Amino acid sequence: MTDENLTTLAQRAQSGDAAALENLMRAVQDQVHRLALRMLADPALAEDATQDILIRLITKLSTFRGESGFRTWVYRVATNHLLNRVKQTQAEAMLSFDVFAADLEAGLVDESQQAPEDHIMLNELRINCTMAMLLCLDRPHRIAYVLGDVFELDQNEAALILDISKDLFRKRLSRARQKVTEFTAQSCGLSNQRAACSCQKRLPAAQSMGRIGHTPSPVFEDAPAYETVRAQAAKAEAQLRSAKLQRATGSLRAQKDFAALLERIVAQDN
């Protein structure tokens, strides 16, 4: 749906059209969920945050004036909530790139115990690892990296979303990109075949520790296949590998129809 169509829906919703409001929330709920999941790296926390953000979008809808695109406005409300209102998770408090690297190397099995290359859960491990990696960044740098390198937003739009100058956004993105690129090049077997960690050696330990399940999550059902991503990483220039691995997650669609749920809540309140 184009921004023009979203703006029209928003105007109808502002005038009290309940159907337009539900359609508007349904049109942006995946966008909100994708951002929440990339910032929190936890499907349950991302679901909670998505619902909270959609409620905030409804309550703040009267403030939308069309001065920016509607999706940009949605990102602004969502990032403000994720940066300022969602409590820091235990994983965030404990993680750094050094801690994460040590954890990866400590949780490896030897070659005789490693998972086969066609194991269906390798892809989910890959995605979870790339998302958890970003928890090593503080939230201001993490959101800059997600908007700039993962979602590939224009720096003008990203700076507007974050309500900071373009220069400050570029500095945060550059610092975050350098840290993620260096870590990926050193510790990720998909980026560097000489790295100690590989998904095959990591998967059995990750499953035994409960870091990842034994059946695929529907959140990642449309992600590119493990072999596809590995081949793409091998062909990419070294400086682009980390970004390509971070982007290869699929749509990260919301698994709940939050729009219908919120419509029922709004109807009850009225």
Side-chain angles (χ1 to χ4, degrees):
M1 189 175 292
T2 67
D3 257 330
E4 183 177 354
N5 291 336
L6 288 173
T7 297
T8 299
L9 269 180
Q11 291 169 343
R12 287 168 50 194
Q14 286 172 329
S15 67
D17 186 329
L21 179 62
E22 182 177 353
N23 289 333
L24 185 66
M25 293 301 102
R26 184 169 290 111
V28 300
Q29 64 183 12
D30 288 343
Q31 170 190 353
V32 172
H33 181 262
R34 184 182 181 215
L35 179 65
L37 188 54
R38 292 316 307 257
M39 284 296 292
L40 302 173
D42 182 304
L45 293 177
E47 277 197 357
D48 291 343
T50 298
Q51 182 165 312
D52 290 343
I53 290 166
L54 292 174
I55 290 172
R56 290 190 64 78
L57 290 173
I58 291 172
T59 59
K60 293 175 69 69
L61 186 58
S62 62
T63 68
F64 175 65
R65 296 287 182 264
E67 296 168 354
S68 65
F70 188 77
R71 291 190 189 276
T72 300
W73 183 78
V74 168
Y75 273 135
R76 190 164 189 174
V77 174
T79 55
N80 182 64
H81 179 80
L82 290 165
L83 291 173
N84 300 317
R85 291 175 176 80
V86 177
K87 291 182 179 180
Q88 186 183 48
T89 66
Q90 184 178 9
E92 288 178 279
M94 295 174 61
L95 268 186
S96 68
F97 285 108
D98 289 339
V99 169
F100 194 30
D103 180 73
L104 288 177
E105 293 192 22
L108 301 177
V109 299
D110 61 36
E111 292 186 2
S112 65
Q113 297 175 295
Q114 70 181 13
E117 291 193 2
D118 61 351
H119 197 300
I120 192 171
M121 295 305 295
L122 287 178
N123 210 33
E124 189 152 332
L125 175 66
R126 169 189 69 79
I127 297 171
N128 275 279
C129 189
T130 55
M131 293 199 299
M133 187 189 306
L134 298 190
L135 296 180
C136 299
L137 297 167
D138 63 38
R139 287 193 180 182
H141 286 86
R142 193 187 318 157
I143 191 63
Y145 186 84
V146 169
L147 294 179
D149 267 20
V150 181
F151 293 179
E152 299 181 272
L153 298 188
D154 176 84
Q155 65 179 12
N156 295 316
E157 182 180 11
L160 177 63
I161 288 166
L162 298 176
D163 195 23
I164 59 177
S165 68
K166 288 186 290 185
D167 285 344
L168 180 54
F169 173 76
R170 284 195 295 267
K171 289 177 182 177
R172 288 181 180 175
L173 176 58
S174 177
R175 287 194 291 262
R177 180 186 289 151
Q178 181 179 359
K179 290 180 179 179
V180 173
T181 300
E182 289 176 353
F183 179 86
T184 304
Q186 177 180 342
S187 299
C188 176
L190 284 171
S191 177
N192 175 11
Q193 293 183 354
R194 295 186 297 275
C197 186
S198 72
C199 295
Q200 289 87 352
K201 291 181 179 179
R202 176 67 176 172
L203 180 60
Q207 289 182 318
S208 67
M209 291 185 291
R211 302 281 181 84
I212 187 173
H214 292 268
T215 56
S217 168
V219 175
F220 309 125
E221 63 185 2
D222 62 350
Y226 182 82
E227 281 300 320
T228 300
V229 174
R230 183 164 67 175
Q232 290 175 344
K235 293 178 181 178
E237 295 181 16
Q239 63 185 17
L240 296 177
R241 285 176 188 161
S242 59
K244 283 187 173 293
L245 290 171
Q246 289 289 344
R247 294 169 192 156
T249 61
S251 65
L252 304 180
R253 289 194 299 268
Q255 299 302 297
K256 290 182 179 179
D257 186 356
F258 291 100
L261 173 63
L262 294 177
E263 192 278 333
R264 289 195 295 271
I265 293 174
V266 170
Q268 290 172 359
D269 290 342
N270 293 333

